[in-house]
Amino acid sequence: MLKEYYPYEYVKSVFAIDYKRLWQMGFRGLIFDVDNTLVHHGDDSNEKVDRFFAKLHKMGFKTCLLSDNEKSRVERFNKNIQTLYICDAGKPDPAGYEKAIEFMGVEKSRAVVIGDQIITDIHGANNAGLPSILVHFIRLPYEKRIGIRRYVEFFVMWTWKHRKKYRYRLGDIRRRK
């Protein structure tokens, strides 16, 4: 039952993923969540994220932001990145993920979802039949409280770590230094 919430991979951040390896594996489309995946909740994009997307696009990846946020928030974030986006996505409903695939013009088998929430991002990717990479959520040093969903996610990830057949289904895509 919990397997519908299991990610294919788990890494510390979007910057810890080996995108060259993903490209070599045949992936061409990257679907990103925004808040707590790319930036702290509510923050605008920054130079590091802008350069990151420029690098991905230069490599040949097509990207799409898939967010449950309203249009004004996503457009504000996307100002310097200028990538495709879908707002008010209704995650984990697979419709938003399928729309992202269509927008990017890639085959479903060539896209991967990257997000910080198991209950929305990862569950939605699994519902849509897409591989997923869970990143640790961005939290500022002074933030002490986390929502109840995060405690549920800790439990899900504890079970994931003990079920080896569900781990590293993309072959361990962590970036090596």
Side-chain angles (χ1 to χ4, degrees):
M1 179 181 146
L2 286 178
K3 69 181 181 180
E4 64 191 65
Y5 296 96
Y6 291 160
Y8 280 53
E9 301 279 342
Y10 174 68
V11 296
K12 186 159 180 72
S13 79
V14 296
F15 305 108
I17 298 169
D18 186 343
Y19 293 95
K20 288 179 184 174
R21 179 152 165 70
L22 286 178
W23 184 267
Q24 290 167 347
M25 293 169 68
F27 290 102
R28 298 298 180 259
L30 305 171
I31 301 170
F32 286 95
D33 175 50
V34 176
D35 284 336
N36 293 333
T37 297
L38 293 166
V39 294
H40 183 261
H41 184 81
D43 286 356
D44 290 339
S45 184
N46 54 48
E47 286 184 32
K48 184 176 182 179
V49 173
D50 295 349
R51 284 192 311 270
F52 169 67
F53 271 85
K55 181 180 174 183
L56 293 175
H57 294 154
K58 187 175 180 181
M59 287 176 70
F61 282 110
K62 295 187 179 180
T63 60
C64 185
L65 305 174
L66 184 66
S67 176
D68 282 340
N69 282 306
E70 62 185 25
K71 187 176 182 178
S72 62
R73 160 70 179 126
V74 178
E75 285 181 340
R76 189 179 81 233
F77 176 84
N78 192 34
K79 186 175 95 178
N80 295 326
I81 297 169
Q82 295 297 305
T83 192
L84 301 167
Y85 66 88
I86 298 167
C87 49
D88 299 313
K91 298 184 277 185
D93 186 324
Y97 298 84
E98 292 163 3
K99 189 174 182 182
I101 298 291
E102 182 183 329
F103 276 7
M104 292 187 297
V106 298
E107 295 174 33
K108 193 176 200 175
S109 62
R110 295 176 151 245
V112 65
V113 175
I114 303 165
D116 71 296
Q117 289 192 47
I118 289 173
I119 294 170
T120 55
D121 304 316
I122 304 309
H123 187 214
N126 289 337
N127 284 344
L130 294 165
S132 59
I133 301 169
L134 178 69
V135 298
H136 187 74
F137 61 96
I138 296 171
R139 186 164 101 177
L140 300 178
Y142 61 84
E143 291 179 312
K144 301 296 180 207
R145 299 189 71 208
I146 59 173
I148 189 118
R149 282 184 169 188
R150 295 294 183 192
Y151 291 105
V152 172
E153 291 178 348
F154 290 145
F155 171 73
V156 171
M157 288 306 290
W158 182 86
T159 65
W160 175 82
K161 287 176 186 175
H162 291 85
R163 294 188 151 182
K164 292 184 179 177
K165 77 176 191 177
Y166 293 106
R167 293 172 45 199
Y168 306 121
R169 288 183 277 167
L170 293 177
D172 189 4
I173 48 73
R174 292 175 291 183
R175 204 174 95 210
R176 307 284 187 232
K177 292 193 178 199

